[in-house]
mmCIF file of all heavy atoms in Angstrom:
data_model
loop_
_atom_site.group_PDB
_atom_site.id
_atom_site.type_symbol
_atom_site.label_atom_id
_atom_site.label_comp_id
_atom_site.label_asym_id
_atom_site.label_seq_id
_atom_site.Cartn_x
_atom_site.Cartn_y
_atom_site.Cartn_z
ATOM 1 N N ALA A 146 121.479 198.869 129.002
ATOM 2 C CA ALA A 146 122.190 197.759 128.360
ATOM 3 C C ALA A 146 123.184 198.244 127.314
ATOM 4 O O ALA A 146 124.144 197.535 126.982
ATOM 5 C CB ALA A 146 121.183 196.796 127.724
ATOM 6 N N ARG A 147 122.991 199.445 126.791
ATOM 7 C CA ARG A 147 123.878 199.968 125.745
ATOM 8 C C ARG A 147 125.004 200.844 126.300
ATOM 9 O O ARG A 147 125.870 201.299 125.548
ATOM 10 C CB ARG A 147 123.062 200.793 124.736
ATOM 11 C CG ARG A 147 121.970 200.000 124.028
ATOM 12 C CD ARG A 147 121.326 200.828 122.931
ATOM 13 N NE ARG A 147 120.686 202.031 123.444
ATOM 14 C CZ ARG A 147 119.428 202.071 123.911
ATOM 15 N NH1 ARG A 147 118.694 200.959 123.914
ATOM 16 N NH2 ARG A 147 118.911 203.197 124.359
ATOM 17 N N MET A 148 124.999 201.094 127.585
ATOM 18 C CA MET A 148 125.979 202.024 128.162
ATOM 19 C C MET A 148 127.336 201.362 128.348
ATOM 20 O O MET A 148 127.434 200.252 128.866
ATOM 21 C CB MET A 148 125.465 202.558 129.503
ATOM 22 C CG MET A 148 124.241 203.449 129.377
ATOM 23 S SD MET A 148 123.667 204.059 130.983
ATOM 24 C CE MET A 148 122.185 204.938 130.498
ATOM 25 N N ARG A 149 128.379 202.084 127.936
ATOM 26 C CA ARG A 149 129.743 201.576 128.063
ATOM 27 C C ARG A 149 130.667 202.572 128.762
ATOM 28 O O ARG A 149 131.851 202.277 128.956
ATOM 29 C CB ARG A 149 130.314 201.252 126.681
ATOM 30 C CG ARG A 149 129.554 200.167 125.927
ATOM 31 C CD ARG A 149 129.673 198.818 126.624
ATOM 32 N NE ARG A 149 128.984 197.765 125.889
ATOM 33 C CZ ARG A 149 127.720 197.417 126.099
ATOM 34 N NH1 ARG A 149 127.008 198.043 127.028
ATOM 35 N NH2 ARG A 149 127.167 196.446 125.393
ATOM 36 N N SER A 150 130.133 203.750 129.128
ATOM 37 C CA SER A 150 130.990 204.770 129.726
ATOM 38 C C SER A 150 130.173 205.681 130.634
ATOM 39 O O SER A 150 128.938 205.679 130.602
ATOM 40 C CB SER A 150 131.658 205.611 128.634
ATOM 41 O OG SER A 150 130.683 206.380 127.938
ATOM 42 N N VAL A 151 130.889 206.477 131.409
ATOM 43 C CA VAL A 151 130.225 207.472 132.256
ATOM 44 C C VAL A 151 129.492 208.486 131.380
ATOM 45 O O VAL A 151 128.384 208.920 131.700
ATOM 46 C CB VAL A 151 131.255 208.178 133.161
ATOM 47 C CG1 VAL A 151 130.599 209.316 133.933
ATOM 48 C CG2 VAL A 151 131.897 207.187 134.119
ATOM 49 N N ALA A 152 130.086 208.849 130.256
ATOM 50 C CA ALA A 152 129.454 209.814 129.353
ATOM 51 C C ALA A 152 128.128 209.282 128.818
ATOM 52 O O ALA A 152 127.158 210.044 128.661
ATOM 53 C CB ALA A 152 130.400 210.141 128.203
ATOM 54 N N ASP A 153 128.063 207.976 128.534
ATOM 55 C CA ASP A 153 126.803 207.379 128.083
ATOM 56 C C ASP A 153 125.722 207.561 129.138
ATOM 57 O O ASP A 153 124.572 207.899 128.822
ATOM 58 C CB ASP A 153 126.989 205.889 127.798
ATOM 59 C CG ASP A 153 127.842 205.623 126.569
ATOM 60 O OD1 ASP A 153 128.017 206.558 125.762
ATOM 61 O OD2 ASP A 153 128.328 204.483 126.428
ATOM 62 N N PHE A 154 126.089 207.319 130.402
ATOM 63 C CA PHE A 154 125.121 207.456 131.489
ATOM 64 C C PHE A 154 124.680 208.908 131.639
ATOM 65 O O PHE A 154 123.489 209.199 131.794
ATOM 66 C CB PHE A 154 125.736 206.946 132.796
ATOM 67 C CG PHE A 154 124.818 207.049 133.981
ATOM 68 C CD1 PHE A 154 123.873 206.068 134.239
ATOM 69 C CD2 PHE A 154 124.889 208.140 134.850
ATOM 70 C CE1 PHE A 154 123.012 206.159 135.328
ATOM 71 C CE2 PHE A 154 124.036 208.241 135.939
ATOM 72 C CZ PHE A 154 123.096 207.248 136.175
ATOM 73 N N GLN A 155 125.620 209.838 131.608
ATOM 74 C CA GLN A 155 125.296 211.248 131.756
ATOM 75 C C GLN A 155 124.366 211.738 130.657
ATOM 76 O O GLN A 155 123.468 212.556 130.906
ATOM 77 C CB GLN A 155 126.589 212.079 131.771
ATOM 78 C CG GLN A 155 127.446 211.846 133.001
ATOM 79 C CD GLN A 155 128.813 212.502 132.893
ATOM 80 O OE1 GLN A 155 129.362 212.628 131.788
ATOM 81 N NE2 GLN A 155 129.371 212.919 134.025
ATOM 82 N N ALA A 156 124.553 211.232 129.452
ATOM 83 C CA ALA A 156 123.724 211.659 128.333
ATOM 84 C C ALA A 156 122.303 211.118 128.436
ATOM 85 O O ALA A 156 121.335 211.780 128.018
ATOM 86 C CB ALA A 156 124.353 211.209 127.015
ATOM 87 N N ALA A 157 122.161 209.921 128.996
ATOM 88 C CA ALA A 157 120.849 209.269 129.036
ATOM 89 C C ALA A 157 120.065 209.560 130.306
ATOM 90 O O ALA A 157 118.824 209.489 130.304
ATOM 91 C CB ALA A 157 121.022 207.756 128.881
ATOM 92 N N VAL A 158 120.764 209.892 131.390
ATOM 93 C CA VAL A 158 120.104 210.093 132.683
ATOM 94 C C VAL A 158 120.469 211.481 133.211
ATOM 95 O O VAL A 158 121.466 211.635 133.920
ATOM 96 C CB VAL A 158 120.506 209.005 133.702
ATOM 97 C CG1 VAL A 158 119.687 209.145 134.984
ATOM 98 C CG2 VAL A 158 120.334 207.610 133.105
ATOM 99 N N PRO A 159 119.698 212.497 132.871
ATOM 100 C CA PRO A 159 120.007 213.855 133.340
ATOM 101 C C PRO A 159 119.780 213.990 134.838
ATOM 102 O O PRO A 159 119.128 213.146 135.476
ATOM 103 C CB PRO A 159 119.029 214.729 132.551
ATOM 104 C CG PRO A 159 117.880 213.814 132.252
ATOM 105 C CD PRO A 159 118.482 212.456 132.042
ATOM 106 N N LEU A 160 120.320 215.062 135.405
ATOM 107 C CA LEU A 160 120.094 215.344 136.824
ATOM 108 C C LEU A 160 118.609 215.545 137.079
ATOM 109 O O LEU A 160 117.909 216.202 136.302
ATOM 110 C CB LEU A 160 120.873 216.593 137.242
ATOM 111 C CG LEU A 160 122.397 216.470 137.250
ATOM 112 C CD1 LEU A 160 123.021 217.824 137.574
ATOM 113 C CD2 LEU A 160 122.851 215.426 138.250
ATOM 114 N N ARG A 161 118.132 214.994 138.187
ATOM 115 C CA ARG A 161 116.716 215.069 138.530
ATOM 116 C C ARG A 161 116.573 215.358 140.018
ATOM 117 O O ARG A 161 117.511 215.151 140.797
ATOM 118 C CB ARG A 161 116.009 213.750 138.218
ATOM 119 C CG ARG A 161 115.903 213.388 136.734
ATOM 120 C CD ARG A 161 115.198 212.061 136.609
ATOM 121 N NE ARG A 161 114.741 211.797 135.254
ATOM 122 C CZ ARG A 161 115.337 210.962 134.416
ATOM 123 N NH1 ARG A 161 116.441 210.340 134.811
ATOM 124 N NH2 ARG A 161 114.855 210.740 133.227
ATOM 125 N N ASP A 162 115.376 215.797 140.405
ATOM 126 C CA ASP A 162 115.078 215.932 141.825
ATOM 127 C C ASP A 162 114.101 214.833 142.231
ATOM 128 O O ASP A 162 113.717 213.982 141.409
ATOM 129 C CB ASP A 162 114.535 217.319 142.158
ATOM 130 C CG ASP A 162 113.251 217.658 141.391
ATOM 131 O OD1 ASP A 162 112.561 216.718 140.933
ATOM 132 O OD2 ASP A 162 112.935 218.856 141.260
ATOM 133 N N TYR A 163 113.698 214.846 143.495
ATOM 134 C CA TYR A 163 112.862 213.752 144.000
ATOM 135 C C TYR A 163 111.537 213.647 143.252
ATOM 136 O O TYR A 163 111.051 212.541 142.984
ATOM 137 C CB TYR A 163 112.601 213.929 145.494
ATOM 138 C CG TYR A 163 111.751 212.818 146.080
ATOM 139 C CD1 TYR A 163 112.321 211.612 146.465
ATOM 140 C CD2 TYR A 163 110.372 212.974 146.215
ATOM 141 C CE1 TYR A 163 111.551 210.584 146.986
ATOM 142 C CE2 TYR A 163 109.586 211.948 146.727
ATOM 143 C CZ TYR A 163 110.187 210.749 147.114
ATOM 144 O OH TYR A 163 109.413 209.738 147.604
ATOM 145 N N ASP A 164 110.951 214.778 142.903
ATOM 146 C CA ASP A 164 109.650 214.760 142.226
ATOM 147 C C ASP A 164 109.711 213.992 140.905
ATOM 148 O O ASP A 164 108.722 213.383 140.483
ATOM 149 C CB ASP A 164 109.161 216.187 141.974
ATOM 150 C CG ASP A 164 108.757 216.895 143.256
ATOM 151 O OD1 ASP A 164 108.469 216.188 144.240
ATOM 152 O OD2 ASP A 164 108.741 218.134 143.274
ATOM 153 N N ASP A 165 110.870 214.020 140.246
ATOM 154 C CA ASP A 165 111.013 213.280 138.993
ATOM 155 C C ASP A 165 110.978 211.773 139.216
ATOM 156 O O ASP A 165 110.574 211.008 138.329
ATOM 157 C CB ASP A 165 112.324 213.666 138.299
ATOM 158 C CG ASP A 165 112.352 215.123 137.867
ATOM 159 O OD1 ASP A 165 111.337 215.593 137.321
ATOM 160 O OD2 ASP A 165 113.371 215.791 138.098
ATOM 161 N N TYR A 166 111.429 211.355 140.393
ATOM 162 C CA TYR A 166 111.445 209.927 140.701
ATOM 163 C C TYR A 166 110.176 209.463 141.420
ATOM 164 O O TYR A 166 109.966 208.254 141.560
ATOM 165 C CB TYR A 166 112.666 209.578 141.558
ATOM 166 C CG TYR A 166 113.965 209.627 140.792
ATOM 167 C CD1 TYR A 166 114.812 210.724 140.872
ATOM 168 C CD2 TYR A 166 114.348 208.562 139.991
ATOM 169 C CE1 TYR A 166 116.003 210.765 140.157
ATOM 170 C CE2 TYR A 166 115.536 208.588 139.273
ATOM 171 C CZ TYR A 166 116.358 209.697 139.369
ATOM 172 O OH TYR A 166 117.531 209.734 138.651
ATOM 173 N N ALA A 167 109.371 210.398 141.888
ATOM 174 C CA ALA A 167 108.188 210.043 142.679
ATOM 175 C C ALA A 167 107.272 209.040 141.975
ATOM 176 O O ALA A 167 106.801 208.080 142.611
ATOM 177 C CB ALA A 167 107.420 211.304 143.073
ATOM 178 N N PRO A 168 106.976 209.197 140.663
ATOM 179 C CA PRO A 168 106.098 208.208 140.018
ATOM 180 C C PRO A 168 106.689 206.800 140.028
ATOM 181 O O PRO A 168 105.953 205.808 140.169
ATOM 182 C CB PRO A 168 105.970 208.743 138.580
ATOM 183 C CG PRO A 168 106.251 210.201 138.680
ATOM 184 C CD PRO A 168 107.291 210.314 139.754
ATOM 185 N N TRP A 169 108.005 206.696 139.888
ATOM 186 C CA TRP A 169 108.650 205.384 139.944
ATOM 187 C C TRP A 169 108.529 204.790 141.349
ATOM 188 O O TRP A 169 108.272 203.585 141.510
ATOM 189 C CB TRP A 169 110.124 205.497 139.557
ATOM 190 C CG TRP A 169 110.387 206.040 138.193
ATOM 191 C CD1 TRP A 169 110.517 207.359 137.847
ATOM 192 C CD2 TRP A 169 110.536 205.309 136.976
ATOM 193 N NE1 TRP A 169 110.752 207.487 136.506
ATOM 194 C CE2 TRP A 169 110.781 206.246 135.942
ATOM 195 C CE3 TRP A 169 110.530 203.945 136.667
ATOM 196 C CZ2 TRP A 169 110.984 205.856 134.622
ATOM 197 C CZ3 TRP A 169 110.747 203.552 135.347
ATOM 198 C CH2 TRP A 169 110.962 204.504 134.344
ATOM 199 N N ILE A 170 108.729 205.636 142.360
ATOM 200 C CA ILE A 170 108.650 205.167 143.748
ATOM 201 C C ILE A 170 107.219 204.779 144.108
ATOM 202 O O ILE A 170 106.993 203.826 144.876
ATOM 203 C CB ILE A 170 109.202 206.248 144.696
ATOM 204 C CG1 ILE A 170 110.703 206.456 144.400
ATOM 205 C CG2 ILE A 170 109.001 205.859 146.156
ATOM 206 C CD1 ILE A 170 111.331 207.601 145.161
ATOM 207 N N GLU A 171 106.253 205.467 143.545
ATOM 208 C CA GLU A 171 104.853 205.089 143.770
ATOM 209 C C GLU A 171 104.577 203.699 143.213
ATOM 210 O O GLU A 171 103.822 202.916 143.819
ATOM 211 C CB GLU A 171 103.933 206.120 143.122
ATOM 212 C CG GLU A 171 103.914 207.465 143.844
ATOM 213 C CD GLU A 171 103.118 208.513 143.094
ATOM 214 O OE1 GLU A 171 102.522 208.155 142.039
ATOM 215 O OE2 GLU A 171 103.082 209.668 143.545
#
């Protein structure tokens, strides 16, 4: 909700692999 730019997104959401998302997908 606070993001206003691509840089905001990059700072808050680092690169991840599938294992990082696995708990969310579960």
Side-chain angles (χ1 to χ4, degrees):
R147 300 187 299 274
M148 293 180 184
R149 298 294 182 268
S150 67
V151 174
D153 290 343
F154 180 84
Q155 292 171 329
V158 186
L160 292 175
R161 293 179 165 104
D162 59 22
Y163 181 83
D164 290 338
D165 295 316
Y166 288 100
W169 301 88
I170 296 174
E171 289 174 4

